Amino acid sequence: MIIWEGPSEIDGGPIMVIAVGTLASKANTKTGAMVQTYILRSDMGPFAAVQAGADASICGDCKHRGDGTGKQRSCYVTLIHGPRVIWDAFSRGIYRRVKPSVAGMMFAGQMIRLGTYGDPAAVPISVWEGLTANAEGWTGYTHQWRSLNAAWSRLLMASVDTKDEMLEAIGRGWRTFRVGTDPIENLEINCPASEEAGRKVQCIDCKACMGTGGKARVSIQIAAHGAGRKWVDEREAA
Ligand code: SF4
């Protein structure tokens, strides 16, 4: 279902949020069965958006977008999977329009992934507050943490790419999710669903990535993974 359409909070470009229930989406082995939310440009498909640099409307200045034409992209989201499938279904007109608060009632008691693709901060916070009002929990991450207020830190983890960024974000009151090497003692733990941790737990049971709104207080670290791993490894080595 389409739960919101409007101008991006990042650059004003036309974007939308499509939520997909657990029966309609393939269960991710890392997260387990969660409601998925895709933040997409509403005027062009995800490949075209990345190639034109128009994905800035949904991802801001995240480093993992690459160079703005799709080269050196290190985002763990593979466009050909979720985003393309959702865009194709949207183009066929199969999604209904449902208010976030109503979708929030439909998804009561479930775990919701905020921004399966795209940065949740591209969307008004009221959309996520409505969607998560009755949820069992959620996971959410933002690269826009330097420009967001405390209400956002209750919902989202600050996505950080270096230890310095992690310290800065924690200093500003965020919990962080860092892609990089070795957790820092007393500040971070390794994600228990990671390959390096032996995939001990799934997000649906862990619930540690709910910003400051959940029970967890420590921040999270994970080794670079997915399709863009080599670009992250090259950046770390540089
Ligand atoms: S720390 Fe927990 S909630 Fe966060 S990504 Fe890892 S398993 Fe999922």
Side-chain angles (χ1 to χ4, degrees), residues 6-193:
S8 162
E9 297 274 308
I10 296 172
D11 68 0
I15 64 170
M16 61 184 170
V17 181
I18 294 180
V20 184
T22 53
L23 287 180
S25 57
K26 199 171 148 212
N28 178 304
T29 51
K30 176 171 175 280
T31 65
M34 293 177 72
V35 173
Q36 307 292 327
T37 60
Y38 290 86
I39 306 162
L40 299 170
R41 289 279 303 209
S42 52
D43 59 341
M44 67 181 88
F47 284 108
V50 165
Q51 280 162 0
D55 60 335
S57 302
I58 58 160
C59 297
D61 57 359
C62 172
K63 292 177 189 149
H64 301 283
R65 283 175 59 222
D67 69 352
T69 69
K71 292 198 188 102
Q72 300 194 344
R73 192 169 175 276
S74 56
C75 177
Y76 67 92
V77 179
T78 312
L79 294 176
I80 200 162
H81 294 139
R84 184 188 60 83
V85 173
I86 299 296
W87 172 259
D88 288 351
F90 167 72
S91 303
R92 292 199 305 279
I94 70 165
Y95 295 124
R96 287 164 296 166
R97 285 175 167 76
V98 175
K99 285 183 185 165
S101 56
V102 176
M105 288 188 260
M106 290 178 183
F107 297 137
Q110 299 196 52
M111 285 288 289
I112 305 176
R113 198 167 166 193
L114 310 184
T116 304
Y117 176 52
D119 192 314
V123 174
I125 193 169
S126 57
V127 171
W128 306 119
E129 288 172 339
L131 191 65
T132 58
N134 305 296
E136 164 77 14
W138 60 87
T139 60
Y141 311 87
T142 181
H143 270 92
Q144 317 303 317
W145 49 270
R146 280 194 181 92
S147 60
L148 298 175
N149 64 28
W152 283 98
S153 63
R154 191 192 71 77
L155 276 178
L156 304 177
M157 307 290 285
S159 283
V160 295
D161 297 299
T162 65
K163 290 175 184 169
D164 285 349
E165 281 184 2
M166 179 262 291
L167 294 174
E168 182 188 343
I170 291 175
R172 289 174 185 234
W174 290 84
R175 291 180 57 240
T176 61
F177 189 92
R178 180 172 64 86
V179 178
T181 50
D182 306 330
I184 305 295
E185 203 178 342
N186 296 329
L187 289 180
E188 296 175 310
I189 57 162
N190 179 238
C191 163

Side-chain angles (χ1 to χ4, degrees), residues 30 139 141 177 190-194 201-203 206-209 220:
K30 176 171 175 280
T139 60
Y141 311 87
F177 189 92
N190 179 238
C191 163
S194 65
V201 180
Q202 293 182 310
C203 300
C206 173
K207 304 186 182 80
C209 288
I220 310 293

